[in-house]
Amino acid sequence: MTQLTAEAAREALAGARLRVLIIGAGIAGATLGALLRQRGEAGFVIERGDAHGEAGYMLGLLPLGGRVLNGLGLTDRYMAESLPMRTYELYDRRGRLARTFPLDRLVKDFGEWRGIERGALLAMLRTAAGPIRYRATMSQIVEAADGAHIQFNDGSEAIFDLVVGADGVHSSIRESLFDSREVEEFDTGWGGFVMWGPLDDPEVYSELWAPGWGVGVYPVPGRVGIFLAGRDKSISARDPHDYADEILTRLPDGRFRRLLAQRDRTEPAFYWRMADIRSKVWVRGRTLLVGDAAAGFLPTAGVGASAAMDSAAALADELSRAGTDHIPYALDLYERRQRHRVELAQKNSRNLARYMFVNSSAVALARDQAMRFYTLDRLVSDLSHVMSGTRKD
Ligand SMILES: Cc1cc2nc3c(=O)[nH]c(=O)nc-3n(C[C@H](O)[C@H](O)[C@H](O)COP(=O)(O)OP(=O)(O)OC[C@H]3O[C@@H](n4cnc5c(N)ncnc54)[C@H](O)[C@@H]3O)c2cc1C
């Protein structure tokens, strides 16, 4: 007979000092599960999807995320399953190479930027997190003096000391517990398809931003992720390969054209609307948010996954130090420690979106001219503050 989710939870949490339910085995939830497990704490992780059903896309990981993998003892596997990023190339609105930014100094100061497939990163984090309950969600939460009473989608019920909403940017935990006025959305009006092409130059990331459309190329082991962006209302309902063919006609000869022409037509394209959220409240009673559920990320600065891992690490740290009578204090410390860092990184992503996602030719021209004088330090200044741990108000 199939075991009910509540029975699996009681089994996983038998003898636990703290009964922690983690909702979502994405980047933040799986990292938190792995770190709690490493510290000898128990976390029960549930995931709506199944073990291999994740839509795939490429992720650039900053040292902010790489350091968490080091702490989990996953360095060797991470190195084997990712590629170093050494150079960022920026093309102008006409498709001409405008700037080449080497990453050497940032790498020397903080550590490596690396490209990895989301599925590969999830697989390593989920293995480290231990058993995960797939195809499971929460259908109801009632807070009481003895804990948060959770009903799962199979109807079974269990009580937890803490419920962690790690269920991503469209978090249903946030929606069910927090008022929509407590959540601010930043919508760029753009969206994009992820496709795959053959691996060419493994250490170079390239982006081209034209008025109303753009294309980016991001290497991972064995292939490159290709991001094809455009205005959400013009492209979201389109056939991705028709859109790719249209973009091909606008591209001059070179890397983008070559890779797009050789794209993989067998794997389904993944569509993403370029909007993020920022929740003004992270903790309510015994429930808290982590990762994109608390502050979602546009992919522009390539920092969302790293920020999610960094926050999960701060949370695991505060929880494992806290006495069971002082969990609200631990949650308060977690939010104080992370909110500023996360919102600064999010601000960097939003600012880059303002440069990248422009619709008028006049603005694109002005942007291209200004970009001639920009340094990489200036483009990622907020991220440097996050990585060096300095405050910026
Ligand atoms: C196209 C694209 C490119 C990106 N590129 C980068 C990049 O280069 N670098 C970078 O750092 N970031 C990038 N990001 C952002 C990054 O993916 C996110 O910031 C990161 O995944 C956030 O992690 P998370 O765990 O909070 O959410 P997610 O990784 O989205 O995980 C949420 C999990 O919760 C599960 N879930 C949802 N609802 C429920 C529920 N009700 N019950 C149970 N489970 C549930 C979901 O199935 C999922 O597994 C990119 C995002 C996109 C879309």
Side-chain angles (χ1 to χ4, degrees), residues 4-333:
L4 291 170
T5 305
E7 286 165 11
R10 281 190 279 274
E11 204 171 273
L13 299 176
R17 187 180 73 101
L18 264 183
R19 295 163 299 175
V20 182
L21 171 65
I22 301 169
I23 301 180
I27 308 292
T31 304
L32 180 63
L35 287 166
L36 288 178
R37 189 171 186 232
Q38 186 187 44
R39 286 165 165 77
E41 303 275 356
F44 181 62
V45 188
I46 62 169
E47 165 57 45
R48 179 180 62 183
D50 58 36
H52 307 288
E54 277 296 321
Y57 52 88
M58 58 289 163
L59 287 172
L61 271 199
L62 273 60
L64 200 63
R67 292 172 73 243
V68 178
L69 296 172
N70 293 340
L72 280 167
L74 293 170
T75 311
D76 290 348
R77 187 164 169 194
Y78 175 43
M79 291 298 136
E81 297 190 22
S82 61
L83 287 177
M85 169 187 178
R86 302 277 183 234
T87 307
Y88 171 60
E89 288 180 342
L90 185 60
Y91 289 72
D92 70 11
R93 68 197 183 289
R94 297 223 172 97
R96 295 173 301 206
L97 180 62
R99 297 291 304 272
T100 299
F101 297 103
L103 264 71
D104 320 13
R105 207 185 46 70
L106 286 174
V107 170
K108 183 166 168 287
D109 287 350
F110 302 117
E112 291 206 336
W113 266 246
R114 298 187 74 87
I116 187 167
E117 287 198 29
R118 178 182 154 83
L121 179 62
L122 274 183
M124 84 178 74
L125 289 170
R126 287 177 174 182
T127 305
I132 290 170
R133 181 86 181 178
Y134 289 98
R135 290 181 289 281
T137 62
M138 178 199 86
S139 43
Q140 196 182 47
I141 177 168
V142 178
E143 292 239 4
D146 60 343
H149 292 237
I150 299 292
Q151 186 181 70
F152 296 105
N153 57 331
D154 61 8
S156 64
E157 293 181 9
I159 305 176
F160 297 88
D161 300 307
L162 202 62
V163 177
V164 181
D167 51 345
V169 67
H170 305 295
S171 169
S172 50
I173 308 304
R174 189 185 64 229
E175 272 168 28
S176 62
L177 289 180
F178 299 172
D179 192 309
S180 60
R181 282 168 301 189
E182 293 170 326
V183 181
E184 169 216 325
E185 193 191 38
F186 176 82
D187 188 353
T188 66
W190 281 43
F193 295 102
V194 176
M195 297 179 177
W196 299 95
L199 184 62
D200 59 344
D201 202 341
E203 299 185 350
V204 180
Y205 284 39
S206 308
E207 291 182 340
L208 181 166
W209 298 108
W213 63 277
V215 50
V217 167
Y218 316 92
V220 293
R223 54 185 184 166
V224 298
I226 306 171
F227 190 60
L228 283 185
R231 283 181 244 198
D232 178 60
K233 64 174 187 305
S234 336
I235 66 166
S236 57
R238 285 190 68 172
D239 175 83
H241 289 286
D242 279 355
Y243 185 54
D245 287 337
E246 184 185 320
I247 295 284
L248 258 179
T249 63
R250 301 177 192 160
L251 288 168
D253 283 344
R255 187 181 198 196
F256 299 111
R257 199 179 162 73
R258 203 171 46 246
L259 290 172
L260 203 54
Q262 295 175 43
R263 70 187 181 274
D264 180 350
R265 290 165 183 270
T266 57
E267 195 160 330
F270 174 81
Y271 185 76
W272 192 251
R273 191 170 75 87
M274 297 287 198
D276 74 22
I277 63 93
R278 177 180 287 192
S279 181
K280 293 181 196 152
V281 182
W282 282 19
V283 179
R284 176 145 296 149
R286 294 173 185 274
T287 306
L288 73 141
L289 304 176
V290 66
D292 272 12
F297 276 84
L298 301 167
T300 48
V303 65
S306 298
M309 294 166 78
D310 187 59
S311 290
L315 178 58
D317 185 35
E318 294 302 343
L319 287 179
S320 59
R321 287 195 220 175
T324 45
D325 293 340
H326 290 90
I327 298 306
Y329 173 49
L331 299 187
D332 194 37
L333 287 176

